[in-house]
Amino acid sequence: MKKEGKTKSFILRIDADMMSAIEKWAADEFRSTNGQLQWLIAEALRKHGRLPKKKKTDDDEQQHI
């Protein structure tokens, strides 16, 4: 049985000019293109309240004591 990870792969078709802009932005911020795309998507999801709330763990609660 294969254990599933937290990331999923998929194919993305993107306009060449848009991809060039993303690659340049990623280089400017010392990120990989993939890392930049992940960051952009996460930022958009956070901005629009689309990410699920993080569950607090015991470790999180210990740090606030």
Side-chain angles (χ1 to χ4, degrees):
M1 185 164 66
K2 183 178 176 183
K3 185 177 179 182
E4 296 207 18
K6 291 186 177 184
T7 60
K8 294 186 177 187
S9 298
F10 70 98
I11 296 172
L12 175 67
R13 291 183 184 94
I14 191 166
D15 176 81
D17 291 336
M18 189 181 299
M19 188 64 181
S20 292
I22 292 168
E23 289 170 337
K24 183 179 180 327
W25 190 5
D28 290 346
E29 296 194 7
F30 304 104
R31 289 190 180 108
S32 66
T33 302
N34 187 66
Q36 188 70 14
L37 287 167
Q38 288 179 319
W39 178 82
L40 281 167
I41 293 166
E43 283 297 301
L45 290 170
R46 267 191 288 278
K47 180 180 176 183
H48 294 281
R50 299 293 184 158
L51 283 179
K53 303 274 187 217
K54 290 186 178 180
K55 294 180 182 178
K56 285 192 176 185
T57 63
D58 290 338
D59 291 338
D60 291 339
E61 291 177 11
Q62 294 287 330
Q63 291 176 358
H64 295 284
I65 295 177

